[in-house]
Amino acid sequence: SGLSWEPRSRAVEQVHLRCTAGSLEWMYPARALRVLLEPNLASAQQTTVCIKPASDFQGASIYVERAGQLHLVVSEAEGAQPRHVSCFSAHSPQRVALFLQASPQRDISRRTASFQYELLSNQSTAGPDLNKMALVEAMCRPCDNMELLMAICSSDFVLKGSIRSVSHDPENHMSQVDVRVQKVYRQKNQIFQQEQGSGEWQGPIRTLLQCKVKKGGGDFLFTGNEHFGEAWLGCAPRFKDFMLVYQAARERGANPCEF
């Protein structure tokens, strides 16, 4: 909180965050806050940083430091516009510096500048313009058999279900697949939930508009990962096709994990 600082101090408070994903809440923003993302990563691969401001983000603007220069990432002037995910490439994967500049204000009314962040390896993102893209976990091509077998081992969610509906959001370049879930094999958080009235499990999965997802009949195996509390589509074969691949791999002893 900015209220905890000495009134006459001009020092910039520094915060060190060691996780590859997390959130920060800065209440009563005053002066400036420097946030160093220093994940404990052994690999030195180039990283992509993605930031999602809270819907009530106010009181400050977010910049990223690059070679001693500040580049605006999130502006308070955006007001009540829908909050998009901003992604940018990190030149030094071991250390990314964000600079939060408090906006001038005349009163002490409560403002909160809060955001979530994730650090991704560049293998899970695509497209040259990272500033305009949303998180890209979905690849607009069918997974091969090995990718499919790995997906059931490493995905944040794995479930069997059918497509209720598909809606498109051209402005944000996204599509949403609403799924009627028959069985949840695994989910990291409770994105897919049981309706109280019907007892039916359901939930939304996001993907890119360019993937041109259409509603199809039958049962699918949906896999993917979570970003900022949302499910993003990975491999999604027809369930019967997946079972043929899995059984064949199991007979050969080539399945990387039990399903």
Side-chain angles (χ1 to χ4, degrees):
S1 170
L3 295 180
S4 63
W5 299 352
E6 290 291 331
R8 293 182 179 83
S9 171
R10 300 185 67 85
V12 173
E13 189 81 12
Q14 291 214 75
V15 178
H16 297 258
L17 302 179
R18 303 289 184 184
C19 299
T20 55
S23 61
L24 183 139
E25 184 179 58
W26 188 24
M27 296 181 292
Y28 301 101
R31 296 183 297 283
L33 189 69
R34 190 166 184 256
V35 180
L36 289 167
L37 306 180
E38 297 178 313
N40 296 319
L41 295 175
S43 66
Q45 293 179 344
Q46 195 178 31
T47 305
T48 297
V49 181
C50 293
I51 294 174
K52 183 178 184 180
S55 58
D56 59 351
F57 182 94
Q58 57 179 331
S61 296
I62 304 177
Y63 300 82
V64 61
E65 286 185 17
R66 280 198 181 130
Q69 300 289 319
L70 294 179
H71 301 269
L72 184 65
V73 178
V74 177
S75 170
E76 188 194 23
E78 292 173 359
Q81 291 180 7
R83 297 298 176 180
H84 299 299
V85 174
S86 299
C87 299
F88 51 89
S89 182
H91 295 297
S92 172
Q94 275 78 33
R95 180 165 169 164
V96 177
L98 302 176
F99 192 82
L100 279 69
Q101 176 71 53
S103 305
Q105 56 194 58
R106 295 178 180 177
D107 54 28
I108 199 72
S109 61
R110 175 166 176 162
R111 294 174 174 84
T112 304
S114 58
F115 64 90
Q116 296 171 279
Y117 74 91
E118 286 192 17
L119 278 72
L120 306 172
S121 72
N122 279 357
Q123 294 174 341
S124 64
T125 60
D129 192 351
L130 294 171
N131 289 315
K132 292 184 179 178
M133 57 165 274
L135 289 169
V136 181
E137 195 65 36
M139 294 177 290
C140 304
R141 60 174 178 80
C143 297
D144 63 31
N145 290 353
M146 197 62 220
E147 288 171 333
L148 181 53
L149 292 169
M150 287 304 298
I152 62 170
C153 306
S154 59
S155 294
D156 290 339
F157 64 89
V158 180
L159 49 98
K160 178 185 179 181
S162 57
I163 298 174
R164 295 178 64 194
S165 63
V166 177
S167 55
H168 303 291
D169 180 1
E171 184 179 349
N172 294 316
H173 309 288
M174 294 181 195
S175 297
Q176 179 170 303
V177 182
D178 289 304
V179 177
R180 182 181 290 110
V181 181
Q182 295 176 29
K183 184 168 183 178
V184 177
Y185 296 97
R186 179 169 69 250
Q187 65 170 324
K188 190 175 179 181
N189 295 305
Q190 300 302 309
I191 292 178
F192 303 95
Q193 297 191 345
Q194 203 170 14
E195 279 194 332
Q196 289 185 341
S198 63
E200 188 179 83
W201 283 79
Q202 58 183 1
I205 302 177
R206 289 178 173 265
T207 187
L208 291 177
L209 186 68
Q210 69 199 47
C211 293
K212 298 179 181 177
V213 175
K214 297 178 182 178
K215 183 178 179 180
D219 296 332
F220 295 83
L221 182 79
F222 295 100
T223 70
N225 289 315
E226 292 182 21
H227 295 296
F228 302 116
E230 297 174 336
W232 283 79
L233 188 64
C235 300
R238 291 194 176 274
F239 193 81
K240 64 180 190 320
D241 296 337
F242 159 72
M243 287 307 298
L244 290 173
V245 171
Y246 178 75
Q247 293 294 353
R250 195 176 185 194
E251 288 171 9
R252 299 194 313 272
N255 54 314
C257 64
E258 290 293 327
F259 177 74

